[in-house]
Amino acid sequence: MGHIEVSGLTYLLPDGRPLLLEASFKVGDGAKAALVGPNGAGKTTLLRLIAGELQPADGRIASSGGIGVMRQFLGEGSVRDLLLNVAPQRVREAAATLGAAEAALAARDDDEPAQLAYAQAIADYADAGGYELEVVWDVCATEALGRPYEEIKDRSLATLSGGEQKRLMLEALLRGPDEVLLLDEPDNYLDVRAKQWLERAIRGSAKTVLLVSHDRQLLAEAADRIVTVEGRTVWVHGGGFAGYAEARRQRRERLEERRQRWEGERARLRRLVHTLRQRSANNDALAGAYQSAVTRLERFEREGPPQRAPKEQNVRMRLRGGRTGKRAVICEELELTGLLRPFSTEIWYGERVGVLGMNGTGKSHFLRLLAGEPIVHTGAARLGARVSPGHFAQTHLRPDLAGRAAAGVVMAEHAMTRNEAMAALARYELAPAGGQPFETLSGGQQARLQILLLELSGATLLLLDEPTDNLDLASAEALQRGLEGYEGTVLTVTHDRWFAADLDRYLIFGADGLVRESTEPRWDL
């Protein structure tokens, strides 16, 4: 049995501003809740508060059943370290003690106190359930990586893809002892087959799950309720994602109507006070009515207005592009060594082409080659006349932007004044972060800044590698609207099924190295 209950939660930023203000909600036993909201609204912070990693300024958090946490960013070290990272705290602590005892014994193997400490550490690790959990980890390692735990426990995480790491962590959490799971963007780095597995695993689990995700299809398939963080508070839609947009619209209308009624009543009370003040100046009999009206107005204003409807996100992407030759991309017997067998294709001006396939099939390498990077290949990959590529990198690794403020980047690279740069950032809702270095921006902010730079560059071929991975729901929809009006060619790698449905046709990169063309998205080759 596991549940989460948050009551009147307030959390203040280091500068004293409230990020969350009297937020309350409950996720009952066995429920599957999705946590959504704009980038920077406080979703990850809320998960950390529930996990006990942060302390609120006010309010109360209650839970039962033990909490397992998957963080947004992956760790370092070995496979064992990764699995310990999602183990219950008592196992982590016992494992740390055991590791220290092993090190001490190795340094003084004939030291009796060290031997006794090591024996005690083994017993404590067993009592904490460490060895029982290692049996579970063996199943997890076999399912996720195809190897038994003992064989790979010391393997460096650097040798695993992001998708392999995520799958291993998810297997361990879903099979582990904790009854409440907090999953921060568990679908990032997963290909579609892995996302479909995750959807089935969440639906089929008896555990209580609270997850953050920007994948609209995963939200639709896995969540039975939606918890929204916006406007410094939280509200809950008790149905699935299919009805969420309508529920949000109706809620906004209710809040606006209540606010208007309150404003109308305040105006009426102020008029009454004003009228009675004037009349009581010449009629002492009305003095009592005037004071009563003043008291009523003061009490009404002291209680304060009802909650204001949260400001709608207004990300406006003006992707322009330009005319090019009829053939934008020409591939002739192109082979990416060790990844793709030779294939030929042509992509025409104005097409929106999806590059689909499992992780590790060469999709990102293909885009990087077209972007001009030195990717080992044979055959030919050429761009057509007047085609200027712009590349969106999935990992957001941009050494050229490190240490540079967002506004400074826009000014320097596109010869803009500060006012012009801030206006452009404002269209992407990045103006408040204009002075922050690139690496301190959230994943969603980094993604929006990269898209803005593509817009300003005037690229006529957009090479987009998982562009919606870190975008919140409104930003992902803004990108789709921006691409509809884009005068140019789009080639995009994506595992976002909602996003992929808007594309014209698809190149399917198979696990067998073959590239196939399709008019429908395919995820199973």
PDB file of all heavy atoms in Angstrom, residues 15-35:
ATOM      1  N   ASP A  15      16.082  33.357  -3.417  1.00  0.00           N
ATOM      2  CA  ASP A  15      15.900  34.807  -3.316  1.00  0.00           C
ATOM      3  C   ASP A  15      14.621  35.188  -2.580  1.00  0.00           C
ATOM      4  O   ASP A  15      14.279  36.380  -2.496  1.00  0.00           O
ATOM      5  CB  ASP A  15      15.917  35.457  -4.697  1.00  0.00           C
ATOM      6  CG  ASP A  15      14.784  34.956  -5.601  1.00  0.00           C
ATOM      7  OD1 ASP A  15      13.924  34.195  -5.114  1.00  0.00           O
ATOM      8  OD2 ASP A  15      14.769  35.311  -6.789  1.00  0.00           O
ATOM      9  N   GLY A  16      13.905  34.192  -2.039  1.00  0.00           N
ATOM     10  CA  GLY A  16      12.718  34.464  -1.249  1.00  0.00           C
ATOM     11  C   GLY A  16      11.415  34.416  -2.010  1.00  0.00           C
ATOM     12  O   GLY A  16      10.337  34.449  -1.406  1.00  0.00           O
ATOM     13  N   ARG A  17      11.471  34.327  -3.348  1.00  0.00           N
ATOM     14  CA  ARG A  17      10.234  34.266  -4.125  1.00  0.00           C
ATOM     15  C   ARG A  17       9.592  32.883  -3.986  1.00  0.00           C
ATOM     16  O   ARG A  17      10.306  31.883  -3.979  1.00  0.00           O
ATOM     17  CB  ARG A  17      10.508  34.552  -5.608  1.00  0.00           C
ATOM     18  CG  ARG A  17      10.875  35.995  -5.904  1.00  0.00           C
ATOM     19  CD  ARG A  17      11.145  36.190  -7.385  1.00  0.00           C
ATOM     20  NE  ARG A  17      12.300  35.419  -7.840  1.00  0.00           N
ATOM     21  CZ  ARG A  17      12.247  34.493  -8.789  1.00  0.00           C
ATOM     22  NH1 ARG A  17      11.102  34.208  -9.387  1.00  0.00           N
ATOM     23  NH2 ARG A  17      13.342  33.850  -9.151  1.00  0.00           N
ATOM     24  N   PRO A  18       8.257  32.820  -3.895  1.00  0.00           N
ATOM     25  CA  PRO A  18       7.609  31.505  -3.788  1.00  0.00           C
ATOM     26  C   PRO A  18       7.565  30.796  -5.142  1.00  0.00           C
ATOM     27  O   PRO A  18       7.116  31.374  -6.131  1.00  0.00           O
ATOM     28  CB  PRO A  18       6.201  31.836  -3.293  1.00  0.00           C
ATOM     29  CG  PRO A  18       5.945  33.228  -3.755  1.00  0.00           C
ATOM     30  CD  PRO A  18       7.278  33.922  -3.758  1.00  0.00           C
ATOM     31  N   LEU A  19       8.054  29.567  -5.195  1.00  0.00           N
ATOM     32  CA  LEU A  19       7.905  28.735  -6.386  1.00  0.00           C
ATOM     33  C   LEU A  19       6.595  27.966  -6.313  1.00  0.00           C
ATOM     34  O   LEU A  19       5.881  27.825  -7.310  1.00  0.00           O
ATOM     35  CB  LEU A  19       9.085  27.758  -6.492  1.00  0.00           C
ATOM     36  CG  LEU A  19       9.059  26.805  -7.684  1.00  0.00           C
ATOM     37  CD1 LEU A  19       9.177  27.581  -8.995  1.00  0.00           C
ATOM     38  CD2 LEU A  19      10.172  25.766  -7.578  1.00  0.00           C
ATOM     39  N   LEU A  20       6.269  27.478  -5.114  1.00  0.00           N
ATOM     40  CA  LEU A  20       5.000  26.795  -4.854  1.00  0.00           C
ATOM     41  C   LEU A  20       4.345  27.480  -3.662  1.00  0.00           C
ATOM     42  O   LEU A  20       5.019  27.788  -2.673  1.00  0.00           O
ATOM     43  CB  LEU A  20       5.236  25.309  -4.543  1.00  0.00           C
ATOM     44  CG  LEU A  20       5.891  24.479  -5.651  1.00  0.00           C
ATOM     45  CD1 LEU A  20       6.307  23.115  -5.118  1.00  0.00           C
ATOM     46  CD2 LEU A  20       4.953  24.323  -6.836  1.00  0.00           C
ATOM     47  N   LEU A  21       3.022  27.688  -3.738  1.00  0.00           N
ATOM     48  CA  LEU A  21       2.332  28.446  -2.704  1.00  0.00           C
ATOM     49  C   LEU A  21       1.055  27.705  -2.312  1.00  0.00           C
ATOM     50  O   LEU A  21       0.106  27.601  -3.098  1.00  0.00           O
ATOM     51  CB  LEU A  21       1.991  29.838  -3.230  1.00  0.00           C
ATOM     52  CG  LEU A  21       1.558  30.895  -2.219  1.00  0.00           C
ATOM     53  CD1 LEU A  21       2.646  31.122  -1.172  1.00  0.00           C
ATOM     54  CD2 LEU A  21       1.239  32.198  -2.933  1.00  0.00           C
ATOM     55  N   GLU A  22       1.073  27.114  -1.121  1.00  0.00           N
ATOM     56  CA  GLU A  22      -0.091  26.409  -0.560  1.00  0.00           C
ATOM     57  C   GLU A  22      -0.650  25.371  -1.535  1.00  0.00           C
ATOM     58  O   GLU A  22      -1.858  25.295  -1.780  1.00  0.00           O
ATOM     59  CB  GLU A  22      -1.182  27.411  -0.152  1.00  0.00           C
ATOM     60  CG  GLU A  22      -0.733  28.359   0.951  1.00  0.00           C
ATOM     61  CD  GLU A  22      -1.834  29.293   1.419  1.00  0.00           C
ATOM     62  OE1 GLU A  22      -2.939  29.231   0.830  1.00  0.00           O
ATOM     63  OE2 GLU A  22      -1.602  30.069   2.351  1.00  0.00           O
ATOM     64  N   ALA A  23       0.233  24.564  -2.089  1.00  0.00           N
ATOM     65  CA  ALA A  23      -0.168  23.516  -3.036  1.00  0.00           C
ATOM     66  C   ALA A  23      -0.650  22.280  -2.274  1.00  0.00           C
ATOM     67  O   ALA A  23      -0.033  21.866  -1.289  1.00  0.00           O
ATOM     68  CB  ALA A  23       1.003  23.146  -3.942  1.00  0.00           C
ATOM     69  N   SER A  24      -1.752  21.698  -2.749  1.00  0.00           N
ATOM     70  CA  SER A  24      -2.307  20.502  -2.111  1.00  0.00           C
ATOM     71  C   SER A  24      -2.817  19.532  -3.175  1.00  0.00           C
ATOM     72  O   SER A  24      -3.444  19.954  -4.151  1.00  0.00           O
ATOM     73  CB  SER A  24      -3.475  20.877  -1.178  1.00  0.00           C
ATOM     74  OG  SER A  24      -3.065  21.752  -0.164  1.00  0.00           O
ATOM     75  N   PHE A  25      -2.541  18.248  -2.981  1.00  0.00           N
ATOM     76  CA  PHE A  25      -3.108  17.202  -3.831  1.00  0.00           C
ATOM     77  C   PHE A  25      -2.822  15.852  -3.195  1.00  0.00           C
ATOM     78  O   PHE A  25      -2.001  15.743  -2.273  1.00  0.00           O
ATOM     79  CB  PHE A  25      -2.537  17.251  -5.260  1.00  0.00           C
ATOM     80  CG  PHE A  25      -1.086  16.861  -5.373  1.00  0.00           C
ATOM     81  CD1 PHE A  25      -0.711  15.570  -5.729  1.00  0.00           C
ATOM     82  CD2 PHE A  25      -0.087  17.794  -5.127  1.00  0.00           C
ATOM     83  CE1 PHE A  25       0.633  15.215  -5.829  1.00  0.00           C
ATOM     84  CE2 PHE A  25       1.250  17.453  -5.226  1.00  0.00           C
ATOM     85  CZ  PHE A  25       1.609  16.167  -5.579  1.00  0.00           C
ATOM     86  N   LYS A  26      -3.483  14.828  -3.696  1.00  0.00           N
ATOM     87  CA  LYS A  26      -3.291  13.473  -3.181  1.00  0.00           C
ATOM     88  C   LYS A  26      -3.237  12.495  -4.337  1.00  0.00           C
ATOM     89  O   LYS A  26      -3.984  12.621  -5.306  1.00  0.00           O
ATOM     90  CB  LYS A  26      -4.435  13.099  -2.229  1.00  0.00           C
ATOM     91  CG  LYS A  26      -4.296  11.705  -1.622  1.00  0.00           C
ATOM     92  CD  LYS A  26      -5.426  11.413  -0.636  1.00  0.00           C
ATOM     93  CE  LYS A  26      -5.263  10.020  -0.032  1.00  0.00           C
ATOM     94  NZ  LYS A  26      -6.346   9.723   0.952  1.00  0.00           N
ATOM     95  N   VAL A  27      -2.339  11.525  -4.237  1.00  0.00           N
ATOM     96  CA  VAL A  27      -2.273  10.404  -5.173  1.00  0.00           C
ATOM     97  C   VAL A  27      -2.497   9.142  -4.346  1.00  0.00           C
ATOM     98  O   VAL A  27      -1.668   8.780  -3.518  1.00  0.00           O
ATOM     99  CB  VAL A  27      -0.915  10.338  -5.911  1.00  0.00           C
ATOM    100  CG1 VAL A  27      -0.918   9.188  -6.918  1.00  0.00           C
ATOM    101  CG2 VAL A  27      -0.607  11.662  -6.608  1.00  0.00           C
ATOM    102  N   GLY A  28      -3.635   8.512  -4.561  1.00  0.00           N
ATOM    103  CA  GLY A  28      -4.026   7.372  -3.741  1.00  0.00           C
ATOM    104  C   GLY A  28      -3.318   6.081  -4.106  1.00  0.00           C
ATOM    105  O   GLY A  28      -2.591   5.994  -5.105  1.00  0.00           O
ATOM    106  N   ASP A  29      -3.565   5.071  -3.319  1.00  0.00           N
ATOM    107  CA  ASP A  29      -2.920   3.769  -3.487  1.00  0.00           C
ATOM    108  C   ASP A  29      -3.164   3.207  -4.884  1.00  0.00           C
ATOM    109  O   ASP A  29      -4.309   3.086  -5.328  1.00  0.00           O
ATOM    110  CB  ASP A  29      -3.467   2.799  -2.436  1.00  0.00           C
ATOM    111  CG  ASP A  29      -2.867   1.423  -2.571  1.00  0.00           C
ATOM    112  OD1 ASP A  29      -1.638   1.318  -2.728  1.00  0.00           O
ATOM    113  OD2 ASP A  29      -3.629   0.434  -2.535  1.00  0.00           O
ATOM    114  N   GLY A  30      -2.085   2.890  -5.582  1.00  0.00           N
ATOM    115  CA  GLY A  30      -2.169   2.262  -6.899  1.00  0.00           C
ATOM    116  C   GLY A  30      -2.457   3.212  -8.043  1.00  0.00           C
ATOM    117  O   GLY A  30      -2.510   2.784  -9.203  1.00  0.00           O
ATOM    118  N   ALA A  31      -2.635   4.511  -7.766  1.00  0.00           N
ATOM    119  CA  ALA A  31      -2.949   5.475  -8.835  1.00  0.00           C
ATOM    120  C   ALA A  31      -1.710   5.748  -9.681  1.00  0.00           C
ATOM    121  O   ALA A  31      -0.574   5.624  -9.225  1.00  0.00           O
ATOM    122  CB  ALA A  31      -3.475   6.773  -8.245  1.00  0.00           C
ATOM    123  N   LYS A  32      -1.945   6.126 -10.929  1.00  0.00           N
ATOM    124  CA  LYS A  32      -0.875   6.477 -11.864  1.00  0.00           C
ATOM    125  C   LYS A  32      -1.103   7.929 -12.282  1.00  0.00           C
ATOM    126  O   LYS A  32      -1.976   8.222 -13.100  1.00  0.00           O
ATOM    127  CB  LYS A  32      -0.901   5.556 -13.096  1.00  0.00           C
ATOM    128  CG  LYS A  32      -1.013   4.060 -12.767  1.00  0.00           C
ATOM    129  CD  LYS A  32       0.192   3.559 -11.988  1.00  0.00           C
ATOM    130  CE  LYS A  32       0.162   2.050 -11.774  1.00  0.00           C
ATOM    131  NZ  LYS A  32      -0.716   1.607 -10.692  1.00  0.00           N
ATOM    132  N   ALA A  33      -0.334   8.841 -11.701  1.00  0.00           N
ATOM    133  CA  ALA A  33      -0.550  10.272 -11.911  1.00  0.00           C
ATOM    134  C   ALA A  33       0.623  10.862 -12.681  1.00  0.00           C
ATOM    135  O   ALA A  33       1.781  10.538 -12.415  1.00  0.00           O
ATOM    136  CB  ALA A  33      -0.715  10.996 -10.576  1.00  0.00           C
ATOM    137  N   ALA A  34       0.304  11.729 -13.639  1.00  0.00           N
ATOM    138  CA  ALA A  34       1.316  12.445 -14.404  1.00  0.00           C
ATOM    139  C   ALA A  34       1.410  13.868 -13.885  1.00  0.00           C
ATOM    140  O   ALA A  34       0.391  14.529 -13.664  1.00  0.00           O
ATOM    141  CB  ALA A  34       0.970  12.450 -15.892  1.00  0.00           C
ATOM    142  N   LEU A  35       2.627  14.344 -13.696  1.00  0.00           N
ATOM    143  CA  LEU A  35       2.882  15.700 -13.228  1.00  0.00           C
ATOM    144  C   LEU A  35       3.309  16.528 -14.435  1.00  0.00           C
ATOM    145  O   LEU A  35       4.348  16.265 -15.038  1.00  0.00           O
ATOM    146  CB  LEU A  35       3.983  15.660 -12.169  1.00  0.00           C
ATOM    147  CG  LEU A  35       4.220  16.881 -11.296  1.00  0.00           C
ATOM    148  CD1 LEU A  35       2.978  17.228 -10.495  1.00  0.00           C
ATOM    149  CD2 LEU A  35       5.394  16.623 -10.349  1.00  0.00           C
TER     150      LEU A  35
END
